[in-house]
Amino acid sequence: MDRKLLDRVLGQVSRPVRYMGNEYNMVEKDPEEVSIRFAFAFPDVYEVGMSHLGMKILYHLMNEREDTFCERVFAPWVDMEEKMRENRIPLFTLETRDPVSEFDFVGFTLQYEMCYTNLLNMLDLAGIPLLAKDRTKQDPFVIAGGPCTYNVEPLADFLDLVTMGEGEEQISELLDLYGEWKKKGGDREFFLRQAAAVPGVYVPQFYDVTYRDNGQVESVKPNTAAAPDRITKRIVRDLDQTYYPDRMIVPFMDIVHDRIVLELFRGCSRGCRFCQAGMIYRPVRERSMDKLLELAEKLVKSTGYEEISLSSLSTSDYSRLEDLVKQLMERFRDKRISLSLPSLRLDSFSRDFIAEIQKVRKTGLTFAPEAGTQRLRDVINKGVTEDDLVRSVTDAFVSGWNTVKLYFMIGLPTETEEDLRGIAELARLVTDCYYGLEQKKRQKGLRITVSTSSFVPKPFTPFQWEPQNAMEELREKQRFLRKALRMKHVEYNWNDPELSFLEAVFARGDRRLGAVLLSAWKNGARFDSWADQFRMDCWMDAFRRNHLDPGFYVYRKREREEVLPWDHIDVGVSKAFLWKEKEKAGRGERTPDCRVSCSGCGIRKTWEGIC
């Protein structure tokens, strides 16, 4: 790497600090003194990737090993990519600025389907063959993890290895295996065969996919005895005994979530029928309060941050949340450290509790009713009521808040115009709650932000068989809401239906989409989740060139008997349970919280005694 050239280029691009490294708590090692080099790759810009908890955990976990040096690499923004290609600068890591192609592994975390073209672009910038079949012993192994890997088939041609589930134990086992393989020597396939025997590891090239004449998947079967018929995700059983970093890198620039992240628990017991995370991260496992307090002490000391985010899928479901908040506030009040709870539920918000949090400073307050009417909230099994909303926002206004954000989804199965009208009525109800208080009891300047996203059916949810609304139908619903939400103090935000359409294609896609992905990238698709970079024309041309109809993946209602592209992956929740939940949704029947009664999702069969 020509350091002088790189320094000169950094002076010509926006936000050069994205590519500089040397942040506080960055790990430094001598590459000559390790046997394994791992490039942890995030397929988006630095400020997005550095907010990701999984990267913080695995980066420090791998660097605890004496034989391994884990470094970071992020997708260069378009101006940096242009300069890198113009000056023939290969993709490099922040820690040593060494080319990524020189590493043993390039490990991507896949958080969102619309980052897939960035993965290809990063491999190309690194000079690593895009297709797994073209890689030789001189190339790194390209590995991926994260929620999108539960249906990673559209990326199957590009990945050597995929890890299913929680990575703390799995990555260590893989690195041990790789270290032995590297010492002894051997071809790539020999290592991949060994890796396929590690529970939770999926090697796509060891599976053949056949299709029916109607385009549906007929079967996904292993083509070698080294690969299991089904790949079961990994979980860690005891979070207190599982590695969690006691220091985190402190960036020089603003990032999306710039604070300490304290993970309270994993899994969710609520069972919302649209929510993939709520299904794939089961079962629920909590960290003890003592462990959390210990970690908070160490992280505050090692980072100097003034804010702690209490993170989980549904933070307010942590069994000792009020005790934890009180103790954290007592310990850190003198340091004026504030707490943020990013995922509060309407049915668990209490004035006394929130009063504790706001003793230092007020943080944002966001509620997610998800649907405008009780009927639709029952269909999706959200489990909150209009009364919950009234009570929560009234408590918030009495406690001094004047800004509330409300999140909804449109295009949900069975949705009607009445459900859309219900969204506007809930916004009006929140306004009424504010003005229903005596003037002296409320803060001035009411602001209500209503945001809607378009429903995207995801694998391993009860709605995985459902079609998505057509793009024009979603646009019509957005127009309806823009008109219905024209009211004082209310702002309305919505997302682009074209983006939701493509997300739905790749969320439930099969291996044939790899060719589309490659064509779209060659057409110039990059940073597809960024509105100013997204180009639908690149994608539609790619579908035409490869003779695939995207509507086949998005608008088709699946039958119960259909083989789904991800049926060879086992997340613990059974397909029979998901179908049963889909039928209950059709009848508008709710399923109680797992903590109230077991719904028989199947998790206990795989992990007995943990749920």
Side-chain angles (χ1 to χ4, degrees), residues 114 116-118 120 158 502 506 513-526 528 534-543 545-546:
M114 300 318 294
Y116 289 175
T117 53
N118 280 3
L120 299 192
F158 310 106
L502 276 180
F506 285 94
L513 288 171
V516 174
L517 194 56
L518 191 56
S519 296
W521 170 74
K522 286 178 179 174
N523 285 345
R526 311 270 195 284
D528 296 294
F534 178 63
R535 289 176 52 195
M536 191 64 169
D537 60 318
C538 293
W539 286 98
M540 296 316 290
D541 177 72
F543 282 111
R545 282 174 184 270
N546 292 282

Side-chain angles (χ1 to χ4, degrees), residues 144-160:
C148 290
T149 59
Y150 289 104
N151 177 32
V152 78
E153 292 306 295
L155 285 172
D157 292 342
F158 310 106
L159 301 173
D160 296 305

Side-chain angles (χ1 to χ4, degrees), residues 67-98:
D67 65 348
T68 303
F69 188 9
C70 177
E71 304 180 41
R72 298 160 296 148
V73 57
F74 302 89
W77 187 243
V78 289
D79 59 348
M80 183 63 175
E81 180 194 341
E82 183 183 339
K83 291 294 176 188
M84 289 171 72
R85 292 191 186 279
E86 183 182 311
N87 292 281
R88 298 186 179 181
I89 297 172
L91 191 71
F92 59 90
T93 59
L94 299 193
E95 277 71 10
T96 57
R97 296 189 177 184
D98 285 343

Side-chain angles (χ1 to χ4, degrees), residues 195-208:
V198 174
V201 171
Y202 174 42
V203 181
Q205 64 183 264
F206 290 162
Y207 294 80
D208 290 332

Side-chain angles (χ1 to χ4, degrees), residues 252-268:
F252 292 134
M253 67 182 291
D254 288 339
I255 61 173
V256 177
H257 301 297
D258 199 6
R259 58 186 77 107
I260 291 169
V261 181
L262 210 52
E263 184 191 38
L264 308 190
F265 65 96
R266 294 180 185 175
C268 180

